[in-house]
Amino acid sequence: MTKQHTLAIGLDGIAVAETDLSLVDGINGLLVYRGHWARDLAIHHTFEEVAHLLWFGHLPSAEELADLSGKLKANRELPEHVKGILKLIPADVDMMSVLRTGVSALGSPANGWPPTIDEVISLAAKMPTIVAYRYNCLQGREPLGPNPELDHTANYLYMLKGEKPNPAHVRALDAYLILTQEHGMNASTFAGRVVSSTESDLVSAITAAIGTLKGPLHGGAPSEVTEMIEAIGTKENAEPWLRSKLENGGRLMGFGHRVYKTVDPRATALRVVASELSANDPWFDLATHVEKVGLKLLEEYKPGRKLNTNVEFFAAAVMRAVGLEDDLFTPTFAVSRVVGWSAHVLEQAGKNRIIRPQSNYVGSMPE
């Protein structure tokens, strides 16, 4: 009989690695990136600065930031064969599957193990281009090339919409992308580290992570939040709509979180950004009002449950305010999370040992 091991369904509570990339403390509502509060990074820094922090271990100097920004801009263009593949994929294939295929097509004999920081930067630069290229093909428009005058987030919006974006929208989306760059040993990060631990290449690891994020239990888009806010429609309708939903046993989407048992720190940061923009953006203004009413009613109907706003609530508000459609929500999440995935792959490669858990056999034995 084989030795039996302690069983943890879904590996809940099981530490599988040591990391200095991030701390996720759901009990106390803490999210830390390499010794920095994630909420402060989102409010006071840019996507490129936080990517540098996760990839290199420290916030960049002016020279380091210019170097990283330049490398990201120089690596945005897609190879022609990838563009051809993106055009050939049937129109009814979902965007996450397209992104997974597009990233996989970036693999080449030059990719090996261990991964390099140049490979990481190149891949992170190309993922927004894949999403925008495919989106424009589906809209019947000629895809725009990257704009070297624009930083990472602004260029993403430019490629999607065909015009230089509103600076307020760039600010809001940049904050969201910072807050989703990294979030501990979640399912997609674990999948990427498992692949990398076999000494497979970076493209394979990120392809596996994208496939994992595609699952609705992990990267499900916050479209239900946008549907709720759209159904409410006006500030005056917020309380009667939400009260009716609760009295009929329904859930308020965007409230409560599996990990965070107190305030989601990512939602806290996005609330700050939303408050700056709500005066000039009707969608933000309505969303912040719905949040206020929702929290009041949840305390009334479910006292002591501590159902706070989660990141999906304000993610939905940000995505809709900047004009992104629902089918772009999760791909946009991936465009950001590739920073954390690749940082974990680099960390895994730095002190590698193959990840090979065991299972408990519960079947019958032969006679």
Side-chain angles (χ1 to χ4, degrees):
M1 182 70 69
T2 58
K3 181 180 178 181
Q4 295 293 301
H5 297 270
T6 301
L7 183 64
I9 302 298
L11 295 181
D12 282 353
I14 301 298
V16 298
E18 290 185 344
T19 182
D20 63 4
L21 290 170
S22 68
L23 166 70
V24 181
D25 182 345
I27 300 300
N28 297 299
L30 306 178
L31 179 59
V32 176
Y33 292 177
R34 289 196 186 269
H36 298 263
W37 296 117
R39 66 170 183 268
D40 292 342
L41 292 171
I43 293 170
H44 301 298
H45 292 274
T46 65
F47 180 94
E48 288 87 344
E49 288 175 313
V50 181
H52 190 284
L53 171 67
L54 289 170
W55 287 335
F56 294 94
H58 62 276
L59 287 169
S61 65
E63 293 77 14
E64 289 171 327
L65 179 60
D67 181 64
L68 177 58
S69 296
K71 287 180 177 177
L72 284 167
K73 290 175 180 178
N75 281 278
R76 290 171 178 167
E77 287 284 357
L78 298 178
E80 290 302 316
H81 76 274
V82 175
K83 294 179 182 178
I85 289 170
L86 296 177
K87 288 180 178 178
L88 288 173
I89 298 173
D92 60 351
V93 175
D94 67 274
M95 188 67 80
M96 284 298 287
S97 295
V98 171
L99 179 60
R100 181 191 62 212
T101 301
V103 168
S104 181
L106 292 172
S108 76
N111 299 128
W113 196 93
T116 68
I117 187 61
D118 286 340
E119 290 175 345
V120 163
I121 293 170
S122 177
L123 183 55
K126 288 178 173 62
M127 280 182 54
T129 312
I130 291 173
V131 175
Y133 192 93
R134 171 66 173 186
Y135 176 76
N136 280 288
C137 287
L138 292 176
Q139 301 302 311
R141 300 193 297 256
E142 184 65 26
L144 287 174
N147 186 334
E149 297 180 359
L150 299 176
D151 288 333
H152 193 77
T153 301
N155 177 67
Y156 179 49
L157 286 174
Y158 165 77
M159 289 190 297
L160 286 170
K161 298 298 181 181
E163 58 187 17
K164 288 191 176 181
N166 181 330
H169 290 171
V170 175
R171 156 79 168 136
L173 186 59
D174 209 49
Y176 169 73
L177 294 180
I178 288 169
L179 291 165
T180 52
Q181 281 187 9
E182 164 63 6
H183 203 246
M185 194 62 70
N186 52 78
S188 55
T189 297
F190 181 57
R193 287 190 75 138
V194 169
V195 172
S196 184
S197 80
T198 69
E199 300 191 1
S200 189
D201 59 279
L202 174 70
V203 168
S204 295
I206 301 305
T207 300
I210 293 170
T212 308
L213 186 66
K214 180 177 181 287
L217 293 185
H218 183 16
S223 58
E224 291 176 317
V225 177
T226 64
E227 291 171 3
M228 178 182 74
I229 297 174
E230 286 176 345
I232 291 171
T234 65
K235 289 183 178 181
E236 294 73 23
N237 194 39
E239 181 160 346
W241 194 98
L242 294 170
R243 190 177 292 278
S244 174
K245 174 69 73 171
L246 289 169
E247 289 182 350
N248 286 282
R251 290 180 57 212
L252 302 189
M253 306 311 298
F255 296 85
H257 192 274
R258 182 168 182 252
V259 173
Y260 293 107
K261 306 309 177 186
T262 181
V263 177
D264 185 335
R266 299 167 299 174
T268 301
L270 286 179
R271 184 187 294 110
V272 172
V273 175
S275 68
E276 295 173 358
L277 303 175
S278 60
N280 300 312
D281 193 301
W283 180 268
F284 271 127
D285 189 36
L286 177 58
T288 53
H289 180 76
V290 169
E291 183 210 20
K292 180 180 178 180
V293 175
L295 290 172
K296 182 189 75 171
L297 293 179
L298 283 169
E299 184 57 33
E300 176 184 338
Y301 283 87
K302 302 178 186 292
R305 290 280 302 277
K306 298 181 179 179
L307 295 171
N308 296 285
T309 321
N310 62 40
V311 70
E312 285 193 350
F313 184 91
F314 280 107
V318 167
M319 299 284 200
R320 186 51 55 88
V322 303
L324 299 191
E325 299 170 11
D326 289 0
D327 61 353
L328 290 172
F329 286 6
T330 306
T332 300
F333 189 131
V335 160
S336 169
R337 184 56 61 85
V338 68
V339 175
W341 289 335
S342 54
H344 276 272
V345 168
L346 291 171
E347 185 177 66
Q348 181 70 34
K351 192 176 180 181
N352 190 53
R353 182 171 181 174
I354 189 170
I355 299 173
R356 189 185 183 281
Q358 295 184 332
S359 59
N360 285 344
Y361 177 66
V362 295
S364 61
M365 295 296 293
E367 295 294 337

